[in-house]
């Protein structure tokens, strides 16, 4: 769904930019490009975007309802709710890589480690 939103928005912007260029040079059907660009933007891209937004908000509300039931988690479920792939993470993410340095061969990127060159 997201790819169709991006493709339709890109196509409509292409038609609108051709219309803009058509203002400066003489194109025969420059008004047609304006109508096609606005039509794709308003009739395809905007409804797809609003539908995607509504689906995301519903999914988010379902997730919040499951966590606000009093903290009851299904005992048979082996995965924790935060590790489930259906639950997006709404917390602040940590940065991915930390750069360690101090070696002769340059610095290397490691995950989840503190500066190791101070511990010599």
């Amino acid at each position: 769904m997201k790819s169709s939103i991006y493709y339709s928005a890109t196509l409509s912007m292409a038609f609108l930019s051709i219309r803009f260029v058509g203002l400066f040079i003489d194109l025969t059907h420059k008004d047609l490009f304006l109508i096609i660009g606005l039509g794709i933007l308003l009739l395809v891209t905007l409804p797809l975007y609003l539908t995607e937004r509504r689906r995301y908000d519903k999914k988010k509300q379902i997730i919040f309802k499951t966590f606000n039931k009093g903290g009851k988690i299904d005992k048979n479920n082996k995965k924790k709710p935060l590790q489930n792939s259906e639950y997006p993470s709404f917390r602040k993410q940590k940065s991915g890589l930390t750069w360690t340095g101090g070696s002769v061969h340059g610095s290397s990127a490691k995950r989840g480690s503190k500066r190791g060159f101070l511990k010599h």
Side-chain angles (χ1 to χ4, degrees), residues 8-59:
S8 62
T10 304
L11 186 64
S12 65
M13 290 300 147
F15 279 117
L16 291 175
S17 62
I18 290 171
R19 164 59 161 95
F20 181 73
V21 170
L23 292 175
F24 299 110
I25 60 174
D26 190 28
L27 289 178
T28 56
H29 302 292
K30 59 184 172 186
D31 293 332
L32 182 65
F33 288 120
L34 176 66
I35 292 169
I36 292 173
L38 288 177
I40 292 173
L41 191 65
L42 295 176
L43 298 175
V44 177
T45 308
L46 190 62
L48 284 176
Y49 173 74
L50 293 176
T51 305
E52 178 69 25
R53 211 59 189 138
R54 190 176 320 130
R55 284 177 49 199
Y56 178 72
D57 288 339
K58 283 182 182 179
K59 186 175 181 180

Side-chain angles (χ1 to χ4, degrees), residues 14-110:
F15 279 117
L16 291 175
S17 62
I18 290 171
R19 164 59 161 95
F20 181 73
V21 170
L23 292 175
F24 299 110
I25 60 174
D26 190 28
L27 289 178
T28 56
H29 302 292
K30 59 184 172 186
D31 293 332
L32 182 65
F33 288 120
L34 176 66
I35 292 169
I36 292 173
L38 288 177
I40 292 173
L41 191 65
L42 295 176
L43 298 175
V44 177
T45 308
L46 190 62
L48 284 176
Y49 173 74
L50 293 176
T51 305
E52 178 69 25
R53 211 59 189 138
R54 190 176 320 130
R55 284 177 49 199
Y56 178 72
D57 288 339
K58 283 182 182 179
K59 186 175 181 180
K60 195 166 67 169
Q61 289 300 322
I62 289 170
I63 292 169
F64 286 149
K65 282 181 185 177
T66 58
F67 280 110
N68 290 334
K69 283 185 179 179
K72 295 181 181 177
I73 298 173
D74 186 17
K75 303 285 187 206
N76 297 329
N77 192 0
K78 300 292 183 196
K79 290 184 178 181
K80 293 180 182 177
L82 293 177
Q83 293 175 346
N84 195 346
S85 62
E86 293 183 10
Y87 292 102
S89 178
F90 296 110
R91 61 181 164 76
K92 187 174 179 179
Q93 299 290 325
K94 294 181 181 179
S95 63
L97 295 173
T98 57
W99 290 90
T100 60
S103 66
V104 179
H105 302 291
S107 61
S108 60
K110 295 182 180 179

